[in-house]
Amino acid sequence: MRPVRLMKVFVTRRIPPDGWAALARAADCEVEYWDSDEPIPAKELERGVAGAHGLLCLLSDRVDKRLLDAAGSNLRVISTMSVGVDHLALEEIKKRGIRVGYTPDVLTDTTAELAMSLLLTTCRRLPEAMEEVKNGGWSSWKPLWMCGYGLTQSTVGIIGLGRIGQAIARRLKPFGVQRFLYTGRQPRPQEAAEFQAEFVSTPRLAAESDFIIAACSLTPATKGLCNKDFFQQMKSTAVFVNISRGEVVNQDDLYEALTSGQIAAAGLDVTTPEPLPTDHPLLTLKNCVILPHIGSATYGTRNTMSLLAANNLLAGLRGEPMPSELKL
């Protein structure tokens, strides 16, 4: 009897236990992985993926033409443990007939929770207030000391009313937001009806919103969307939050807007680059809260993401429908 030929799978990082267990149970696969929580060096990734039938990667792994060439003709499936796919050379992948799995939906609620946390932390100046407690700045109660901006009766603008944008709006409603605006590629009347949200142009959203949350995908149309012109149109009391992708924002223009008083504050869970250098000018500002891209960072969500990514990979390798396949 001829031995069964195993399919080679390469995983670019240690992944949470549920996903790893699913791969370990796959009797038809030989799994290799980069045994670290840190990003795999490019040369090691090229070496690891050579001859692989399947690749499980993260959003920090750039899958470009060079890597696809290094993988060779065996590569049939790429599964990314992310909802974003801007790290994948999709046109090149499509040309080679490679299937792609991703992890939408499972991180929607967790990311929306983080957006709410970041918005409230920024608009109510919580990091500044905590620092004042620690450094002795808290001397007595003062009428205007540490005042920020409240959500009640406000106008909130959401850039991208997709799954995450809707989940954010759903959580904002009980805070007494008076009006929702949104912008995107096209109106989404069915989704917007729940919030009575109005589809407007990007300049109008910038001009009329008290709080703006970027929750869009990174596309050629959204790259650099939030730039000098955008910030100049915003109210001087407005707060800007980005939980989408760092490249949606021109960070030099954001720094200028924050230091000149064009806008009141900003909260970022995503930056360019990632990680942001510790000497970056934005990190010197009290009115800018920056988090290390932790939108989906709960134990439950990351475990679910890893399992979905593993199941996408295994289904694709076996010629079965993937639980979540990106249609190219």
Side-chain angles (χ1 to χ4, degrees):
M1 185 176 176
R2 296 175 66 182
V4 176
R5 187 180 178 187
L6 299 178
M7 292 178 288
K8 178 183 173 181
V9 169
F10 189 75
V11 184
T12 64
R13 208 81 53 86
R14 286 197 296 249
I15 61 173
D18 286 3
W20 185 250
L23 293 176
R25 289 193 299 267
D28 52 352
C29 293
E30 178 184 23
V31 181
E32 298 178 15
Y33 69 104
W34 179 250
D35 189 14
S36 173
D37 289 327
E38 297 303 317
I40 181 171
K43 289 294 182 185
E44 292 296 330
L45 179 53
E46 290 174 14
R47 189 176 298 118
V49 79
H53 299 85
L55 171 67
L56 196 157
C57 64
L58 308 187
L59 58 83
S60 53
D61 301 313
R62 186 150 298 282
V63 181
D64 55 15
K65 184 179 184 300
R66 177 171 175 167
L67 185 66
L68 294 169
D69 287 343
S73 59
N74 280 348
L75 189 63
R76 304 205 301 266
V77 182
I78 297 169
S79 178
T80 180
M81 193 178 127
S82 66
V83 64
V85 293
D86 46 280
H87 57 300
L88 307 179
L90 294 178
E91 286 302 317
E92 191 65 32
I93 289 167
K94 182 179 180 179
K95 276 197 291 186
R96 298 172 190 235
I98 299 168
R99 296 173 69 185
V100 175
Y102 69 136
T103 60
D105 300 321
V106 296
L107 50 71
T108 298
D109 289 332
T110 308
T111 305
E113 289 172 4
L114 190 280
M116 288 295 303
S117 302
L118 183 54
L119 176 61
L120 291 167
T121 295
T122 304
C123 71
R124 293 300 301 271
R125 301 170 64 184
L126 300 190
E128 285 183 78
M130 292 170 65
E131 190 59 33
E132 291 294 282
V133 173
K134 293 176 183 178
N135 66 21
W138 183 17
S139 58
S140 65
W141 188 90
K142 305 166 191 174
L144 294 179
W145 186 62
M146 286 289 104
C147 284
Y149 299 94
L151 290 164
T152 305
Q153 298 298 305
S154 68
T155 295
V156 173
I158 299 175
I159 302 173
L161 197 67
R163 287 179 292 259
I164 294 172
Q166 292 168 53
I168 293 168
R170 203 166 287 127
R171 284 159 174 77
L172 281 168
K173 280 181 71 176
F175 283 85
V177 171
Q178 185 176 59
R179 185 169 167 240
F180 287 100
L181 306 176
Y182 74 100
T183 189
R185 283 174 294 192
Q186 58 191 18
R188 308 188 68 168
Q190 285 186 303
E191 294 84 351
E194 179 182 349
F195 322 107
Q196 296 180 303
E198 182 182 358
F199 182 75
V200 297
S201 66
T202 300
R204 185 177 163 195
L205 181 139
E208 297 184 15
S209 299
D210 300 300
F211 303 94
I212 296 175
I213 303 168
C216 55
S217 301
L218 178 62
T219 67
T222 61
K223 186 174 183 179
L225 176 69
C226 301
N227 56 17
K228 184 175 182 178
D229 290 341
F230 180 89
F231 296 125
Q232 284 180 339
Q233 290 161 345
M234 286 175 62
K235 300 177 182 180
S236 62
T237 54
V239 174
F240 174 79
V241 168
N242 185 18
I243 54 95
S244 58
R245 285 290 185 265
E247 289 180 88
V248 169
V249 176
N250 183 311
Q251 289 176 174
D252 292 338
D253 292 347
L254 176 61
Y255 178 82
E256 177 63 28
L258 289 167
T259 53
S260 67
Q262 282 178 357
I263 67 173
L268 311 175
D269 185 46
V270 288
T271 61
T272 304
E274 292 183 0
L276 196 65
T278 55
D279 61 352
H280 195 281
L282 284 173
L283 293 172
T284 66
L285 304 181
K286 288 184 178 181
N287 59 343
C288 188
V289 178
I290 300 179
L291 303 178
H293 203 155
I294 56 171
S296 65
T298 67
Y299 291 111
T301 295
R302 291 285 171 86
N303 236 334
T304 303
M305 289 172 68
S306 74
L307 179 59
L308 179 54
N311 287 338
N312 281 337
L313 183 75
L314 295 172
L317 288 172
R318 293 164 182 164
E320 301 167 357
M322 290 185 188
S324 291
E325 182 168 1
L326 183 69
K327 300 301 181 183
L328 302 178

